[in-house]
Amino acid sequence: MSAAVQPMVISGAEVWPLVEGGKGVAVSNGRSSGAWAAAGGVGTFSGVNPDLIDDNGEYVPLVFKGRDRKARHEELIDYSIKAGISQARIAHETRKGEGRIHMNVLWEMAACERVLQGVLEGAKGLIHGVTCGAGMPYRLAEICARYQVYYYPIVSSARAFNALWKRAYHKFQEWLGAVVYEDPWLAGGHNGLSNSEDPTKPEAPYPRVLELRKLMRSFGLGDKPIVMAGGVWHLKDWKDWIGSKELGPIAFQFGTRPLLTKESPIPESWKKRLLELVPGDVLLHRFSPTGFYSSAVKNRFLDRLIARSSRQVEFREEPDPVAGFTRPLAYGRKSVFLSEADLARVQGWIAEGFTHPMRTPDRTLVFVTPEEHRQIRRDQSDCMGCLSHCGFSNWKDRDDYTTGKLPDPRSFCIQKTLQEIAHGRGDPVDDQLMFSGHNAYKFREDPFYANGFVPTVRQLVQRILTGY
């Protein structure tokens, strides 16, 4: 077979420059990542709330016993460390000495440093690299260097890497495996769009990656690979990148395509839905409690969040005739004040059954049904502290354990929905958050998947190597 790319040294071994994207909450696991490594590439299991697998190969669900958020938070950390170690062992056994195994963590997940160090300590020799994004992981390099594993920061701009390098990474150059450039307009999951970038105006990746390469060369990192992530489907689409002297060594990360394999642990209904998507079925939105933009399949879950935010009005605690807030609305034991136009809108929503106003941190009210109100309050109360900062529940993983802001009913419990879709609870296709890259519609168009064909990981890697 004539491959579209040549092998490359990644994490200390020569492998195909094909990296499995690490999808969180049990969506990339030891079996899928081990199979990717066994096929000669770099497999990546998720260290973000992975599943704990016992010595008999059985899944051990986490049942929270703590009566408050802090207690549940500690349970989650303990479980995540044990689970990450179990997935590393499965990945190591499955790869059969081939390829490399990486673990993916999110810097904004709760107690990321504790979980990362706990897994690396308990899985010494089983993990070759750590990828990390969703935030600015300054201490990633120091932690990985201590355990002698390579680190792979995920960035969406040269500016982000510049900050990381100058503040911390320059001290640990030896263990920098590569820099992952993730296209913030095309990648699935949480994306690194900055406030200066327009989510509706995607920028071509080549100039942005070239800017990153020029910066890396100025730091003496010209030989370190850049991993292109987000929007990668066929290698033939990247032929101008492969072997480019201007860009230097380039590897490619595949996040969406590995979802549809025999080894992928996602529910069958999710796999079936992927085969049905058309262009435009993936939405870049900002409902995540992390505050980051993210990309997910349009479904009832997102429709409800969009509709909820549309039923939103500004208010004032006291009348403000100058600004037009003069019409009272009963709220709790007293009234708040709306504009006349907004009061008319609110009366219409109440007539439709959206009778319960809920305050947001932005001095607005959103209107929900009684059942939605009960569910939102229940989910906020059940918070298990899965993020470092959560906009939905106002949890923070240190100091006084609160962000100091009102919980935001326009968001959702991300731990709950991602656990439920990963394990096929309820209706995972329509009623849970379904992360996906924007190229997922290509499953329907790509002849490789004709008649609902679902490949093994090895078959997928071999197909990718042909350029398709």
Side-chain angles (χ1 to χ4, degrees):
M1 178 185 69
S2 177
V5 289
Q6 296 302 311
M8 179 183 295
V9 175
I10 298 177
S11 290
E14 189 172 79
V15 295
W16 293 117
L18 309 179
V19 181
E20 177 195 15
K23 297 164 286 296
V25 189
V27 174
S28 292
N29 64 10
R31 183 168 175 252
S32 64
S33 61
W36 193 278
V42 179
T44 309
F45 72 90
S46 174
V48 183
N49 307 146
D51 285 345
L52 173 59
I53 306 299
D54 66 17
D55 293 339
N56 297 318
E58 298 294 325
Y59 165 55
V60 182
L62 172 56
V63 179
F64 290 101
K65 299 177 182 178
R67 299 185 66 179
D68 60 26
R69 293 178 176 186
K70 188 178 177 183
R72 293 191 291 269
H73 169 68
E74 291 297 325
E75 291 179 77
L76 181 62
I77 294 169
D78 181 64
Y79 180 92
S80 294
I81 292 171
K82 293 175 181 176
I85 294 168
S86 75
Q87 295 297 341
R89 289 172 177 163
I90 294 169
H92 175 73
E93 293 167 1
T94 305
R95 78 181 183 94
K96 301 186 185 302
E98 301 295 326
R100 298 279 88 178
I101 294 295
H102 289 179
M103 177 172 73
N104 179 68
V105 292
L106 302 181
W107 200 246
E108 288 301 315
M109 76 184 199
C112 180
E113 293 182 41
R114 288 174 60 188
V115 173
L116 176 57
Q117 291 177 90
V119 176
L120 292 178
E121 182 68 34
K124 287 181 178 178
L126 307 183
I127 298 169
H128 307 109
V130 176
T131 57
C132 182
M136 293 295 282
Y138 291 111
R139 295 201 60 225
L140 174 68
E142 177 186 349
I143 294 168
C144 288
R146 187 186 316 145
Y147 289 95
Q148 298 189 329
V149 300
Y150 293 91
Y151 64 99
Y152 296 78
I154 302 172
V155 301
S156 294
S157 67
R159 182 176 61 181
F161 182 70
N162 184 53
L164 291 167
W165 180 261
K166 290 185 174 179
R167 177 166 167 178
Y169 290 2
H170 69 278
K171 302 174 187 177
F172 307 98
Q173 179 173 339
E174 176 186 359
W175 293 102
L176 177 64
V179 179
V180 182
Y181 171 80
E182 186 176 72
D183 188 309
W185 289 276
L186 292 177
H190 290 105
N191 301 335
L193 274 172
S194 71
N195 291 331
S196 64
E197 292 164 331
D198 188 337
T200 66
K201 296 180 180 178
E203 297 178 17
Y206 191 98
R208 294 169 67 93
V209 172
L210 180 58
E211 182 183 7
L212 174 60
R213 174 58 75 193
K214 289 177 178 177
L215 177 69
M216 291 173 64
R217 285 185 175 126
S218 74
F219 297 148
L221 304 173
D223 61 338
K224 295 287 186 180
I226 294 174
V227 181
M228 177 60 209
V232 180
W233 193 271
H234 296 137
L235 289 179
K236 67 182 179 67
D237 299 330
W238 305 87
K239 60 183 179 182
D240 294 339
W241 292 48
I242 298 168
S244 167
K245 292 182 179 179
E246 187 175 45
L247 289 180
I250 296 285
F252 297 92
Q253 179 171 300
F254 295 81
T256 299
R257 288 190 79 171
L259 286 171
L260 196 60
T261 61
K262 297 290 188 184
E263 294 88 346
S264 169
I266 68 173
E268 289 303 313
S269 57
W270 189 347
K271 293 181 182 181
K272 182 175 183 294
R273 181 65 185 276
L274 290 171
L275 288 165
E276 299 169 349
L277 298 177
V278 298
D281 272 355
V282 175
L283 178 69
L284 179 62
H285 64 88
R286 207 171 189 177
F287 294 112
S288 170
T290 63
F292 291 108
Y293 281 94
S294 64
S295 295
V297 174
K298 295 177 183 177
N299 60 7
R300 280 198 302 261
F301 183 89
L302 283 183
D303 287 343
R304 283 194 292 265
L305 289 170
I306 293 168
R308 186 181 304 164
S309 281
S310 72
R311 296 189 300 273
Q312 182 172 191
V313 293
E314 288 187 65
F315 71 92
R316 298 289 186 271
E317 301 284 359
E318 303 293 339
D320 184 353
V322 174
F325 292 87
T326 60
R327 303 303 301 273
L329 174 74
Y331 184 81
R333 294 183 178 181
K334 62 174 189 175
S335 294
V336 295
F337 294 86
L338 312 180
S339 70
E340 186 168 354
D342 280 345
L343 180 61
R345 295 168 66 207
V346 166
Q347 291 170 337
W349 297 331
I350 291 173
E352 293 172 0
F354 301 102
T355 56
H356 281 57
M358 301 187 76
R359 290 181 186 243
T360 80
D362 299 321
R363 203 159 64 166
T364 64
L365 297 173
V366 294
F367 286 77
V368 299
T369 65
E371 176 54 35
E372 283 180 309
H373 182 266
R374 285 192 293 271
Q375 189 64 61
I376 290 167
R377 289 290 186 239
R378 189 180 307 126
D379 289 346
Q380 289 171 335
S381 176
D382 290 344
C383 173
M384 69 292 290
C386 71
L387 297 173
S388 65
H389 295 73
C390 178
F392 176 68
S393 69
N394 84 353
W395 157 269
K396 186 173 66 174
D397 68 353
R398 54 190 174 276
D399 304 327
D400 58 358
Y401 300 100
T402 175
T403 62
K405 298 180 180 180
L406 283 174
D408 195 338
R410 297 167 297 186
S411 189
F412 55 89
C413 177
I414 195 164
Q415 172 76 202
K416 174 186 172 183
T417 188
L418 292 183
Q419 286 287 354
E420 292 193 349
I421 189 170
H423 296 100
R425 299 171 190 148
D427 182 352
V429 173
D430 272 317
D431 291 327
Q432 306 299 341
L433 182 70
M434 187 190 298
F435 278 145
S436 175
H438 288 256
N439 276 348
Y441 69 89
K442 292 187 177 180
F443 282 121
R444 193 168 185 263
E445 299 180 352
D446 192 330
F448 184 56
Y449 303 95
N451 301 314
F453 175 66
V454 177
T456 63
V457 165
R458 182 174 294 275
Q459 287 172 323
L460 174 59
V461 170
Q462 290 173 343
R463 175 71 172 189
I464 290 170
L465 285 170
T466 69
Y468 290 87

